[in-house]
Amino acid sequence: MKVVLAGDADATGWGRWRAELAAAMPEAEWFTRDELAAARVPAAEVVAAVVASPPPGSLVGLPNLRLIQSLWAGVDRLLADPTLPEGVPLARMVDPAMSAAMAETALWAVLALHRGFFAYQRRQREGRWQLHAQRRADEVRVLVLGQGAMGHAVMQRLAPLGYRVQGWRRDGTALAAALAANEIVVNLLPLTPATRGLLDARAFAALPPGAAVVNLARGAHVVDADLLAALDAGHLRHAVLDVFHQEPLPAAHPFWHHPQVTVLPHAAASTDPRSASAVVAANLRALRDGRPLAHLVDRGRAY
Ligand code: NAP
Ligand code: GLV
């Protein structure tokens, strides 16, 4: 089975992936597009593509593609590529190791917000020794937006520690009511036309005063100017942001130096080649054997 690897080489580091993919599926042959051309392998022999947020156009000219397997959980960038081959099944990455990493990041953010550790960091920079009230975890209400692989893992991680965790689904409580009942909101929605800009002035106003926002999903879920306004007005106390409209976050962006914003470099949950290669191999073998493919994206719903 011939498989094309496509992605942002710097970010992906195919070198690291190759050994793991080859170990997980020794019977497959892996090529970047350049290697395919250099080896004069006919593009028609390629049946699958393993992709990591590749530049638009990366999958053009592969007439017999039968599976596009993403190494990313979120497929918004892939779906935004107008040249993405139509009618080819697209699978996203679902890996318990990745969900566990996301749960750790959310736990760190929620714990730091709950105990006021970001505020203590600010006080250290100001040379101020000042204690604030210590609250119990069961006094803290956390809303998780998105009940998929990531949101579910986060809820499972937080609940046993005593946090009062609520998951939001679109067919349940209205978003504004759910926001009003919680002081920390963790966003783990996919980026779709329905969720773009969901975290805007209206959503922030619905949160109680002193609430905090943790965005671990996609930058475009947040209206940056509205978030900054809510922080500067003193309505929100802190934001932990892992993802941004433009990545890397431009040097001039106000988030970088805002005292109530913690910036992470899209590090909440990276795909781990050691475990994700087995997920890829399982789906490629299912393709080869004619079994159902796992973790398929519904292009109509955009996730
Ligand atoms: P998933 O399993 O597809 O889950 C998506 C969840 O969102 C589902 O529960 C879905 O509801 C819900 N949803 C979708 N549209 C909605 C809407 N309009 N209103 C309310 N709920 C909606 O995705 P996942 O694996 O958990 O990943 C979620 C996102 O996390 C990814 O898309 C990606 O953007 C982000 N992510 C970020 C990182 C990072 O390092 N920062 C790493 C991995 C993933 P249904 O159950 O009704 O379908
Ligand atoms: C990372 O953001 C992913 O979607 O896997």
Side-chain angles (χ1 to χ4, degrees):
M1 174 183 276
K2 293 187 174 58
V3 184
V4 143
L5 303 169
D8 173 343
D10 290 342
T12 315
W14 286 120
R16 217 161 44 100
W17 277 96
R18 267 176 209 280
E20 298 292 347
L21 287 168
M25 196 168 181
E27 69 271 33
E29 297 174 81
W30 315 89
F31 303 90
T32 62
R33 290 303 294 261
D34 287 348
E35 289 165 348
L36 202 65
R40 296 182 189 282
V41 175
E45 290 183 15
V46 173
V47 295
V50 171
V51 301
S53 200
S58 296
L59 301 183
V60 168
L62 299 170
N64 293 321
L65 209 53
R66 288 192 286 132
L67 171 63
I68 302 167
Q69 171 67 58
S70 173
L71 295 179
W72 286 44
V75 290
D76 44 288
R77 288 188 208 170
L78 266 174
L79 293 176
D81 176 357
T83 72
L84 191 74
E86 274 175 31
V88 178
L90 168 62
R92 56 188 212 88
M93 179 50 60
V94 178
D95 176 2
M98 196 181 186
S99 306
M102 182 60 86
E104 288 167 359
T105 304
L107 171 60
W108 158 78
V110 167
L111 189 54
L113 290 164
H114 150 215
R115 292 293 308 276
F117 295 140
F118 294 123
Y120 284 137
Q121 263 179 348
R122 278 200 301 277
R123 285 178 198 164
Q124 178 184 350
R125 283 196 286 273
E126 295 159 9
R128 270 208 295 154
W129 182 282
Q130 189 191 348
L131 211 63
H132 52 231
Q134 179 176 295
R135 301 168 69 207
R136 299 192 311 260
D138 66 5
E139 295 173 296
V140 179
R141 291 176 183 272
V142 183
L143 179 69
V144 179
L145 306 180
Q147 305 284 281
M150 298 291 157
H152 181 71
V154 166
M155 292 181 71
Q156 296 284 103
R157 195 82 169 84
L158 293 177
L161 297 176
Y163 292 108
R164 300 175 74 170
V165 190
Q166 181 187 349
W168 178 69
R169 332 185 63 93
R170 83 196 96 182
D171 50 358
T173 324
L175 180 60
L179 290 167
N182 289 278
E183 66 175 87
I184 299 174
V185 56
V186 180
N187 178 35
L188 282 165
L189 288 165
L191 182 63
T192 69
T195 64
R196 183 177 292 273
L198 196 75
L199 295 175
D200 60 2
R202 215 158 49 134
F204 300 137
L207 282 163
V213 172
V214 180
N215 186 19
L216 307 177
R218 286 292 182 264
H221 285 127
V222 170
V223 179
D224 289 1
D226 292 359
L227 177 57
L228 287 164
L231 288 165
D232 292 341
H235 181 63
L236 296 183
R237 84 181 139 110
H238 203 86
V240 177
L241 306 175
D242 181 55
V243 284
F244 303 92
H245 284 261
Q246 190 185 331
E247 296 181 3
L249 182 64
H253 199 290
F255 285 156
W256 273 118
H257 301 292
H258 197 291
Q260 290 148 267
V261 176
T262 298
V263 169
L264 297 177
H266 201 139
S270 303
T271 313
D272 186 334
R274 292 168 299 180
S275 49
S277 292
V279 177
V280 171
N283 237 6
L284 292 178
R285 289 198 176 104
L287 176 73
R288 179 195 64 195
D289 301 343
R291 288 181 280 112
L293 298 167
H295 315 309
L296 289 179
V297 170
D298 177 340
R299 293 198 191 200
R301 290 193 310 183
Y303 70 96

